[in-house]
Structures are given as C-alpha cells and as structure tokens.
Amino acid sequence: MSGLLIGGSGLIGGYLLHYFKTKTPEIDVRAPNSKKLSLRELDDIISYFKRHKPDFVVNTAITAIRSDALLSYEVNYLGSINLARAALALNIPYIHISSAATMPPGDNLTEEDHLDLDASLSNYAKSKLMTEMTLKHMHKEYGLQYTLIRMAIVYGAHDHKIQGINRLLFNIIDRAMPFMLTKKKGVLHSYSNASKVPYFIHHILKNREEFSGQHYHFVDPEPVELAKLILTIKAYMNLKTPREIYIPYPVAKAGNNFMNWVIKVFNRLGYRAHMPAEMIFLENFYKTQTLSCEKLKNSSFIDPNPRATVFTELPSLIEYYTARWEHLNLFSSFSRQDFNLAHARKKMLTRAEERAAIFMDSPAKLLDAIHNDGIAPLKEIL
Ligand SMILES: NC(=O)c1ccc[n+]([C@@H]2O[C@H](COP(=O)([O-])OP(=O)(O)OC[C@H]3O[C@@H](n4cnc5c(N)ncnc54)[C@H](OP(=O)(O)O)[C@@H]3O)[C@@H](O)[C@H]2O)c1
C-alpha cells in the first residue's frame, strides 16, 4: 500500500511521516514537499497522481495563518479540493485535517456545528470552512470516500512555527505576558494531541467503511481551563509573571488595537514588526470553545494513550521548546539560570552540548578536536 502525504514537513504531517516510517512497514508513504508538489499547481497534482497512483491521500498542508485571501484560497481550499478530485478519480480514500476555527464558541460542540459562511470570517477560517462544505458535497454528489478530522488547539513537539499553545508558552517563558489575558474562571478549550493523530489515521485506513463520509473531532476528552494552563506553566517555570490580574476583554481589545497602530507607525519608519498572528483570535481567550468527542469515543478507535493530556505532556514540551528557542536565539528575556533547577532535569552535558560550549568560547580548540577525529571518510557508506 502506498500513500501520499501533503504537509509532511509540518507539525501534524511530521508525526504522520515518522509513524508510517517506523511503525507500518506494509505502508509506503511519500511526502513530497511544496516545491515538488504544490497545492497551488493543479499540474503538480495531476502529474503526481498519474505517475505514482497512490492508494490513499492525507492532507495536512496549510498556508501560514496570516496569509492573504489568494494564498489561503489557493492552498487551503482549492488545493484541498483538487486533491480530493484526484482521489475521487482513483476512487481512493482522502483524509483531510480541519480545524476548530470553522466553529463558533460554545460548549460541547458537535461535528454538525459550524460557523455561517460569511465574508467577515478570517481567511483561514473561511478557507477551512469552505473545504469542509465542498468535501461533504463531493461525498453526496460523487461518493468521495473522505474522512475529515477536526483538530482543536494542537500540542506536540517539532513545530517549526510559534503559534497557538506554543505562542502562549513562548510569551510566558519570555515574560511577554505581564497580566492574564483571559477570565479568572470558566474559559475552557479543547486540546488535540498531535502524536495520537497517526494512530487514528492508520485506523481509518484499516476501517474504511466505518469512517468514510464522516467528520470527527479529534480532541482530548477533558477540556482545559486557559487560566489554569497559564498558571501551571508559570509555576513550573517558577516565574513571577503573568501576575494574577485578569484583563477584561474590552481593555485587551483596545490594547491590541493600540499596538496595531503603534506597529504600523514603526513599520512606516522602516522598522519591521508585526503582531503575533493569533491575536486575530484574541476573542477566543475569553470565550469557551469545547468540542464533543462522543462520536470518536463511540467509534471503533481506541485511544493509544488515554492518560496523556496537555498537562502530562507539558514538562517535556517545555524542555523541548525552551531548548529549541534558545538555540535559535529567539528569547529576549528568558535565561536558563532563572529557570527553577528543582524542576529541571539535572543531567550531564552530552558530548554535543559540551562541544557547543567550546564552540562559543574556544572555536580554535574545537577545530583542532574535529580535525583530529571527525573528518575521515565515512566508511559506513562503503
Ligand atoms: N497547529 C495547530 O495548532 C492546528 C490547530 C487546528 C488545526 N490544525 C490543522 O492541522 C493541519 C496541519 O497543521 P500544522 O500546524 O501541522 O501545519 P504546519 O506545521 O504549518 O505545516 C504546513 C505544511 O503545509 C505545507 N504546505 C504549505 N503550502 C503548501 C503548498 N502550496 N503545497 C503543498 N504543501 C504546502 C508545508 O510544506 P512545505 O514546508 O514543503 O512548504 C508544511 O508541511 C492544518 O490543516 C491545520 O488547519 C492545526
């Protein structure tokens, strides 16, 4: 069996690629990058399908959340629909990842709930919602075998962008959130564990009848209170901020508008700055949005790790992302010395870390060391 995965370099696509590479020898998944197969190019899709004739397609691709109307329309909507048309031509399953951005705020929302399609929606929400609608229509009209997986706030390692929960983490750790941008109680959200998605998709592929033509919410059973999550991160990192002063939404919105204005002025003066993309979702920090997972629970899928939640994964996510963002020199205020060592794993420096320290202080010494033992031909290849 061979599959086509679009978006394999992304957060969710990365988990899928790793899963199919390591756990399913019987399934060969190819994940051409967007230079080889761009969803914006119909010809790319046609020639790939002609040449490789995959047995299934998984689409986890998406353009950057702040993209303009044309790019959002071409990648998120038209590209997804063209992929589905190709899958239809070969009569193979098409699995599409969608988002809770297609839904209004609310409690225990079902798979049937969605926003009204309206010009005022953000480019991201509009393109994702239109895709949901057209896929449903293609199933009804042409019998497209598709499964749509709606994700809420996704957590997982190896995300190359700083967005969603990672933006929250980054801002708290870098002390860029002096006060609480939410309500003290009662603002709940659903969370999706990226590492479990491949198990679900593999299960869908093995049980096509049950899952074809269906939409599923793929979220942890228990929603999480935003204030509690923020305070847990703060406590884990032993930070003083954000202080427990809860900024009301109208004030936060006014502050946001003011910052947008300041940034515009700075941009005119030649400085490049922009607001984090998720500030378009500021309202969501103050409104509950929880997705029902009843349909998923009642399906034949069995959660591979029911005890994993955003709280159980938080320590490893914090360790992973602080190291990553430090390596990339992204922090302006965070310093590892301030990080409460009682929480940190006391571990010996690895050889690589030791060398990174020498790289900073004595590069000539490192050069000598590498020349002495690290540049001979790689015999393993022969
Ligand atoms: N992350 C979240 O918090 C979240 C929450 C809810 C729903 N979702 C949904 O989950 C899905 C995956 O999100 P993600 O966070 O994993 O995305 P991501 O990390 O931003 O990755 C995006 C992927 O899309 C590919 N891509 C971009 N433009 C393309 C084009 N023109 N043609 C082909 N591929 C293109 C990129 O490939 P290249 O690198 O090769 O360009 C990249 O692999 C999306 O449908 C998103 O709506 C995500």
Side-chain angles (χ1 to χ4, degrees):
M1 204 180 186
S2 74
L4 167 62
L5 168 66
I6 308 288
S9 63
L11 169 62
I12 293 174
Y15 275 98
L16 277 161
L17 201 54
H18 184 256
Y19 176 90
F20 284 116
K21 205 175 73 182
T22 53
K23 292 209 160 57
T24 60
E26 75 286 5
I27 303 178
D28 174 32
V29 168
R30 292 180 183 203
N33 63 27
S34 60
K35 277 104 204 151
K36 275 197 172 159
L37 193 170
S38 171
L39 289 183
R40 300 182 79 189
E41 305 291 336
L42 182 58
D43 286 348
D44 284 5
I45 298 178
I46 294 174
S47 60
Y48 184 93
F49 273 73
K50 266 183 163 171
R51 193 191 289 182
H52 297 287
K53 300 239 167 13
D55 298 307
F56 65 88
V57 184
V58 182
N59 182 11
T60 68
I62 192 199
T63 182
I65 211 156
R66 61 166 67 247
S67 299
D68 70 1
L70 182 63
L71 202 57
S72 307
Y73 164 72
E74 284 190 346
V75 177
N76 300 354
Y77 176 67
L78 202 56
S80 303
I81 297 311
N82 283 334
L83 266 186
R85 290 173 66 204
L88 197 55
L90 296 185
N91 195 26
I92 57 171
Y94 173 71
I95 297 172
H96 184 82
I97 306 290
S98 195
S99 159
T102 61
M103 286 191 297
D107 198 16
N108 216 17
L109 299 164
T110 71
E111 280 78 358
E112 302 308 315
D113 288 313
H114 61 78
L115 290 162
D116 292 332
L117 184 58
D118 186 89
S120 64
L121 296 179
S122 69
N123 295 332
Y124 175 65
K126 202 187 295 173
S127 58
K128 298 296 282 186
L129 178 60
M130 283 170 62
T131 310
E132 290 192 358
M133 290 171 153
T134 304
L135 291 177
K136 205 171 192 173
H137 184 67
M138 287 171 78
H139 174 70
K140 219 165 102 193
E141 289 293 311
Y142 297 99
L144 172 71
Q145 301 176 48
Y146 83 109
T147 308
L148 187 134
I149 305 173
R150 264 193 197 148
M151 312 283 291
I153 302 170
V154 178
Y155 60 95
H158 309 287
D159 197 353
H160 58 80
K161 55 197 183 308
I162 305 181
Q163 212 169 277
I165 186 173
N166 289 348
R167 169 62 60 190
L168 184 75
L169 201 56
F170 184 91
N171 283 1
I172 297 173
I173 296 175
D174 206 28
R175 294 174 212 166
M177 192 193 265
F179 306 111
M180 302 285 283
L181 281 180
T182 182
K183 288 187 199 158
K184 188 166 186 177
K185 277 212 173 309
V187 179
L188 294 158
H189 295 115
S190 292
Y191 284 77
S192 303
N193 185 324
S195 70
K196 293 184 189 176
V197 180
Y199 292 87
F200 185 43
I201 290 185
H202 190 188
H203 186 78
I204 292 173
L205 292 171
K206 288 192 285 189
N207 298 276
R208 282 165 60 169
E209 285 288 300
E210 179 186 348
F211 291 93
S212 188
Q214 301 292 327
H215 292 196
Y216 286 89
H217 289 166
F218 195 78
V219 293
D220 294 344
E222 291 304 322
V224 169
E225 195 162 51
L226 181 56
K228 188 175 167 198
L229 181 65
I230 295 174
L231 294 177
T232 307
I233 299 170
K234 176 185 164 184
Y236 184 83
M237 298 297 295
N238 198 30
L239 294 168
K240 290 198 178 72
T241 54
R243 298 201 184 275
E244 276 195 72
I245 298 170
Y246 292 81
I247 307 293
Y249 178 62
V251 178
K253 194 163 177 351
N256 195 28
N257 292 345
F258 174 71
M259 280 313 295
N260 272 322
W261 177 80
V262 170
I263 284 174
K264 256 187 208 156
V265 171
F266 269 85
N267 286 349
R268 284 214 188 119
L269 295 174
Y271 293 96
R272 198 78 207 117
H274 56 74
M275 289 289 275
E278 41 292 279
M279 291 318 271
I280 55 172
F281 300 122
L282 179 66
E283 207 181 346
N284 297 8
F285 300 177
Y286 290 84
K287 285 192 176 161
T288 285
Q289 191 195 51
T290 64
L291 280 60
S292 160
C293 61
E294 270 314 294
K295 189 170 173 185
L296 184 71
K297 259 197 207 158
N298 294 332
S299 77
S300 60
F301 174 67
I302 295 168
D303 187 337
N305 186 4
R307 286 205 295 204
T309 66
V310 65
F311 290 113
T312 63
E313 303 309 291
L314 213 45
S316 62
L317 289 177
I318 289 178
E319 281 218 15
Y320 173 81
Y321 282 111
T322 45
R324 180 186 176 110
W325 295 331
E326 259 188 314
H327 287 315
L328 295 173
N329 271 325
L330 295 179
F331 287 125
S332 48
S333 302
F334 171 75
S335 103
R336 190 158 282 276
Q337 282 86 335
D338 301 342
F339 181 30
N340 186 352
L341 287 176
H343 290 297
R345 256 193 295 139
K346 285 187 185 151
K347 56 177 185 194
M348 296 293 290
L349 282 182
T350 64
R351 189 171 153 81
E353 284 169 334
E354 211 176 280
R355 289 205 156 173
I358 310 175
F359 173 73
M360 278 171 65
D361 300 334
S362 339
K365 203 171 141 195
L366 181 63
L367 203 70
D368 278 349
I370 299 272
H371 285 188
N372 284 336
D373 67 5
I375 54 169
L378 280 172
K379 292 216 175 71
E380 294 86 333
I381 291 174
L382 306 173

